[in-house]
Amino acid sequence: MQEGAVVTLSRHIVEQERRHPEATGAFSNILYDIALAAKIISREVNRAGLVDILGSAGKFNIHGEDVRKLDEFADDVIFQAMDHTGNLCVMASEEVDDPIPIPDKFPAGNYVLLHDPLDGSSNIEANVSLGTIFSIHKKISKGERGGLADLLQPGYKQLAAGYIVYGSSTMLVYTTGAGVYGFTLEPSIGEFLLSHPEMKIPDPGKKIYSVNEAYYKRWSPGQQLAVDQLKDEGFSLRYIGSLVADFHRTLLYGGIFMYPADAKSPKGKLRLLYEACPLAMVIEAAGGASSDGAGSILNVEPVELHQRTPLYLGSKSVVQKTEEALQAAGAGVPGA
Ligand code: AHM
Ligand code: MG
């Protein structure tokens, strides 16, 4: 690559594809389509604060409704960007209970997309960063169109995964397992530009832990010990309460993000297939670690589409110490 050249997401994808002569282009097209959906969602997220001032003109009105919830809007945008392309055989979204088939009028392809279209949207009025998370698998079922079996694949089988963070700027971060690449949206030209090549999580990095510590009394003794130890080591606490934003900071600065099991949520809160697995793939490809408290998130065998999991993501050494504390003092939560 020419020194100093601006690398758009499109150029990056073409260059990656050249390294895989067997590639059909379908996979690259899925990434382009996700990037297009991300630009549309980003535009609406940035305008969210103007809705009350500008009135309903220009508001999303796909079904003739005056006001649409942004997470439902994001869900529609992703569906409409992906349904007709012939690349996917089935989709799943946090917003939809069942597998989302490709409409019969369109051809089906060999890939599977799971996503959380707009995580953290309850924070939108406070101008807090939101995110989209995505996971791509290869179709494994025999039929022409995919189904639940294609969606219930463990994280280590993901072909690619990533997220978009709608923050002070909009960034798209993705991996296919070899290297993690971050692109920042330049809104005036509508392009994602490579801003963070070969991202690596520092280890141990800045001493930061990120968890909702208000739930301390509901935690297992092991979880309490893990956090007590981090405090003894001089760690600071940062918790936005918006998963992608907390994750993105953790990837850049190091430390650990945790959403453990607790007495009220004995399986944790966050979802395995479209929140935990894609972020686990990113952090592991960046040299970090993921865990459900006992081992890598990527090895968990899914049994349900919207399955929850305890979640630990961060610098390898910090995740390891946390797992040790959980095992030493007991990871079982009261009431589980
Ligand atoms: P949601 O599915 O209700 O939007 O919740 C998802 C959010 C994540 O972004 C965040 O990590 C977590 O919930 C915060 O939960 P809590 O308020 O329990 O700390
Ligand atoms: Mg979510």
Side-chain angles (χ1 to χ4, degrees):
M1 189 189 307
Q2 193 186 323
E3 194 68 29
V6 172
V7 180
T8 61
L9 178 64
S10 318
R11 175 172 174 176
H12 172 84
I13 291 173
V14 168
E15 282 171 359
Q16 294 293 314
E17 203 176 275
R18 271 195 211 121
R19 297 188 195 171
H20 298 275
E22 73 289 358
T24 61
F27 182 69
S28 302
N29 286 333
I30 295 172
L31 285 175
Y32 291 134
D33 294 337
I34 290 173
L36 172 65
K39 288 183 217 174
I40 298 172
I41 297 168
S42 176
R43 188 193 61 193
E44 292 304 327
V45 167
N46 288 330
R47 291 174 65 249
L50 296 169
V51 165
D52 289 342
I53 303 170
L54 298 179
S56 64
K59 265 194 280 179
F60 3 109
N61 201 8
I62 295 169
H63 299 299
E65 295 162 5
D66 206 28
V67 180
R68 304 269 342 269
K69 281 178 68 188
L70 257 186
D71 44 7
E72 290 166 14
F73 169 80
D75 193 53
D76 284 344
V77 168
I78 295 177
F79 179 75
Q80 284 165 13
M82 316 298 300
D83 68 341
H84 58 281
T85 59
N87 295 319
L88 299 179
C89 63
V90 67
M91 291 185 249
S93 159
E94 192 195 36
E95 294 288 319
V96 182
D97 289 344
D98 297 318
I100 307 168
I102 301 302
D104 285 341
K105 61 183 171 186
F106 298 127
N110 284 322
Y111 296 92
V112 176
L113 173 71
L114 300 102
H115 62 91
D116 183 348
L118 198 60
D119 187 78
S121 52
S122 59
N123 295 304
I124 191 140
E125 295 199 348
N127 244 333
V128 165
S129 301
L130 312 180
T132 298
I133 312 170
F134 61 91
S135 162
I136 301 171
H137 280 277
K138 186 104 190 174
K139 176 171 180 278
I140 51 167
S141 66
K142 294 273 178 294
E144 188 215 333
R145 288 177 185 256
L148 191 59
D150 299 295
L151 297 163
L152 295 185
Q153 298 191 58
Y156 70 83
K157 292 201 168 155
Q158 291 172 111
L159 294 180
Y163 61 90
I164 297 102
V165 58
Y166 310 100
S168 43
S169 55
T170 293
M171 268 193 78
L172 183 151
V173 176
Y174 91 100
T175 184
T176 54
V180 176
Y181 299 93
F183 300 81
T184 301
L185 180 63
E186 163 43 290
S188 67
I189 55 168
E191 288 277 4
F192 280 105
L193 305 179
L194 182 62
S195 51
H196 296 63
E198 300 286 348
M199 296 173 83
K200 291 277 174 227
I201 180 168
D203 194 342
K206 287 193 184 170
K207 290 183 159 187
I208 297 175
Y209 71 99
S210 186
V211 71
N212 191 335
E213 205 165 342
Y215 305 152
Y216 187 91
K217 289 188 179 165
R218 298 188 213 151
W219 288 347
S220 65
Q223 178 62 34
Q224 292 178 338
L225 175 67
V227 167
D228 292 345
Q229 280 179 353
L230 293 172
K231 287 182 186 173
D232 289 343
E233 288 175 32
F235 274 61
S236 286
L237 168 63
R238 297 280 183 276
Y239 190 69
I240 299 167
S242 186
L243 175 61
V244 177
D246 280 317
F247 177 81
H248 188 62
R249 184 199 54 247
T250 305
L251 176 63
L252 291 176
Y253 295 168
I256 187 166
F257 169 83
M258 311 180 242
Y259 204 111
D262 67 35
K264 195 171 157 206
S265 313
K267 293 185 173 149
K269 174 180 182 184
L270 300 174
R271 312 294 183 144
L272 176 67
L273 289 172
Y274 42 78
E275 293 182 323
C277 282
L279 298 182
M281 185 179 186
V282 170
I283 207 103
E284 292 197 14
S290 76
S291 176
D292 66 353
S296 168
I297 285 285
L298 299 180
N299 293 330
V300 177
E301 285 290 337
V303 289
E304 291 174 10
L305 190 51
H306 297 285
Q307 179 170 340
R308 297 177 196 271
T309 179
L311 181 58
Y312 301 84
L313 299 161
S315 306
K316 217 178 232 171
S317 63
V318 187
V319 173
Q320 213 161 18
K321 264 193 225 160
T322 304
E323 275 185 341
E324 282 162 15
L326 286 166
Q327 276 142 35
V333 291

